[in-house]
Amino acid sequence: MLYLDTAVVLTLFVGERTSGAVESWLAQRPQLLAYDTLLLAAASALGIKALNPLGRG
């Protein structure tokens, strides 16, 4: 089983410096299992990022 941190998953949805490397790494994996909690955390983080795109508090 493969566990991905939410920060890794987020790079697939937003343009980050490491997005290409993460996409390449994942493409080499035979399968990826995502859990509801991971998807919920990713959706929450994307919402926060959308409201505060510069990362300023």
Side-chain angles (χ1 to χ4, degrees), residues 24-36:
S24 296
W25 182 80
L26 286 173
Q28 297 173 12
R29 301 296 170 268
Q31 67 180 14
L32 173 64
L33 301 175
Y35 292 98
D36 292 342

Side-chain angles (χ1 to χ4, degrees), residues 4 7-16 19-20 22-24 26 32:
L4 292 178
V8 173
V9 174
L10 289 179
T11 66
L12 301 172
F13 297 98
V14 295
E16 299 285 342
S19 296
V22 169
E23 190 173 337
S24 296
L26 286 173
L32 173 64

